[in-house]
Amino acid sequence: VQLQASGGGLVQGGDSLRLSCTASGRTFSFYNIGWFRQTPGKEREFVAGINWNGATTRYDDSVKGRFTITRDNAKNTVYLHMNSLNPQDTADYYCAADGNKAGIIQMTAGAYALWGQGTQVTVSS
């Protein structure tokens, strides 16, 4: 499966954005998907994840209550709905796929074997 992230942009603090992670390949529904973000000089950090059927989600504390991750397997797409954005959310956002059969949502980047290219999110104050 190949992943492509999109939907980033420049917004003002308090605004919303929806990122999309679209996959090619018929086995997309087998994968747990994670969203990560990275700023220059820092390691890639976990933002949110969703298991293969959408029944389980997980969030970093910094985005709980503001971000929501959903998926539509019929469209091979996972969404990251981001509300109440603030300048600390500015980063390159990446989606990644993990095929662990237990459906556990991993929070470390090393657990994900497949990555899409990043989409840039910039939040001005």
Side-chain angles (χ1 to χ4, degrees), residues 6 15 27 32-33 37 41-42 46 55 75 88 105:
S6 62
D15 285 352
T27 60
N32 311 305
I33 302 295
R37 63 188 179 187
K42 293 190 176 182
F46 176 82
K75 296 182 178 179
Q88 287 69 43
I105 301 169

Side-chain angles (χ1 to χ4, degrees), residues 95-112:
C95 61
D98 167 34
N100 84 79
K101 299 298 190 290
I104 297 171
I105 301 169
Q106 304 286 353
M107 299 182 71
T108 56
Y112 291 79

Side-chain angles (χ1 to χ4, degrees), residues 44-105:
R44 206 164 285 189
E45 65 176 13
F46 176 82
V47 176
I50 191 166
N51 79 323
W52 65 274
N53 66 357
T56 305
T57 58
R58 195 171 186 181
Y59 299 92
D60 181 76
D61 287 344
S62 65
V63 306
K64 279 181 181 176
R66 300 189 299 122
F67 292 11
T68 303
I69 187 170
T70 61
R71 70 187 296 160
D72 185 342
N73 284 344
K75 296 182 178 179
N76 277 9
T77 302
V78 169
Y79 303 99
L80 184 66
H81 309 263
M82 305 188 296
N83 298 320
S84 301
L85 286 162
N86 60 62
Q88 287 69 43
D89 296 316
T90 295
D92 291 325
Y93 284 71
Y94 299 85
C95 61
D98 167 34
N100 84 79
K101 299 298 190 290
I104 297 171
I105 301 169

Side-chain angles (χ1 to χ4, degrees), residues 9-17 83-87 89 122-125:
L10 172 63
V11 297
Q12 292 186 333
D15 285 352
S16 300
L17 271 179
N83 298 320
S84 301
L85 286 162
N86 60 62
D89 296 316
T122 303
V123 185
S124 63
S125 56

